[in-house]
Amino acid sequence: MKAWKTLCIMSLLLLTMVLAGCSNEGDKYIGKWTGLENPDNPRSYIYQMTIEQNGDNYIIKRKVSNYNEFNPDRQLEWQEGKEKTESATLKDGKLVSGNDIASVSYTYIEKDNTLLYSAKGIYLQKDDDNAIFENLKKQAADALTKYWEEHPIINKTPIIDDPFIKYGKAKQ
C-alpha cells in the first residue's frame, strides 16, 4: 500500500512538471498593459493595450487617450482614443506585427515585468485591474489643472481691422 501511495505521488509530480513545461512563451504577453508616452510629462498620451492569444497568433487592441488641453472653457475633458486592432506572431521571443517593410515589435522585459512597444519606445506596465490607468489619468488631470492655474487665459483687446477706427482717421 505504501508503494502505491508513493507511485501515485510521483506520478502526480511528474504530470505537474510536464504541464508546467508546456506553457507557451507568449503567455507572458497576454493581458492588459498601460503606459505613458512621456514619463516626464503626465499630460502626455496614455497608451492602453490588450493582448489575447488567438491560436498561434495574438490579437493586440491598442487605444491612445488623453485630456483635451485646448478646451476653451478649461474644463477637464477626457478624449478616449479609438481602439485599433492588429495581429501579431511570436518571433524570437518578441511579438511582431506588420510585414518586412514596416513592423512593430513588443518585447517583454522580465526584470521589471514591463512591455516595450517599439513603435514609440514606450514602456507599458501590466495593468489587468486598470489601477495604473486610473492613476495615470488622475496624474494627468492634476498636472493639467495645475498648468491652467499657472497659465491663465489673458483677455486681449479685440483685433480692429478697420483702418479708420484703428488709426483715428475720418472717412472722406
Side-chain angles (χ1 to χ4, degrees), residues 33-144:
W33 300 85
T34 302
L36 197 57
E37 183 176 45
N38 179 357
D40 296 328
N41 180 3
R43 294 176 8 221
S44 65
Y45 291 103
I46 297 174
Y47 281 69
Q48 293 176 279
M49 296 191 193
T50 303
I51 300 175
E52 302 168 351
Q53 190 166 6
N54 184 23
D56 290 338
N57 292 324
Y58 294 83
I59 304 296
I60 301 172
K61 297 175 184 174
R62 182 177 60 247
K63 193 181 335 180
V64 181
S65 308
N66 70 337
Y67 281 105
N68 180 2
E69 291 198 38
F70 305 105
N71 194 338
D73 59 0
R74 295 218 164 166
Q75 297 295 314
L76 287 175
E77 178 186 336
W78 182 250
Q79 295 180 316
E80 191 79 26
K82 290 185 180 181
E83 189 174 81
K84 296 181 180 178
T85 303
E86 61 187 313
S87 177
T89 56
L90 194 61
K91 291 182 185 173
D92 300 325
K94 298 178 182 182
L95 285 183
V96 179
S97 68
N99 54 38
D100 292 337
I101 297 172
S103 67
V104 174
S105 67
Y106 301 85
T107 306
Y108 178 75
I109 301 170
E110 197 163 338
K111 71 176 183 167
D112 55 3
N113 193 30
T114 58
L115 186 68
L116 174 60
Y117 172 46
S118 72
K120 297 282 186 171
I122 298 171
Y123 288 91
L124 302 137
Q125 297 175 324
K126 192 79 162 188
D127 192 22
D128 288 328
D129 62 356
N130 274 349
I132 293 171
F133 171 72
E134 292 301 329
N135 186 30
L136 289 176
K137 192 174 171 183
K138 182 184 178 328
Q139 287 178 25
D142 294 345
L144 187 55

Side-chain angles (χ1 to χ4, degrees), residues 1-14:
M1 190 67 169
K2 194 173 188 179
W4 177 250
K5 284 183 181 180
T6 305
L7 182 62
C8 285
I9 290 172
M10 294 302 284
S11 297
L12 285 173
L13 285 173
L14 183 63

Side-chain angles (χ1 to χ4, degrees), residues 142-164:
D142 294 345
L144 187 55
T145 301
K146 180 180 177 187
Y147 177 81
W148 283 340
E149 288 170 357
E150 293 172 355
H151 300 88
I153 295 176
I154 300 170
N155 290 330
K156 297 180 180 179
T157 48
I159 297 173
I160 301 172
D161 289 335
D162 186 349
F164 295 104

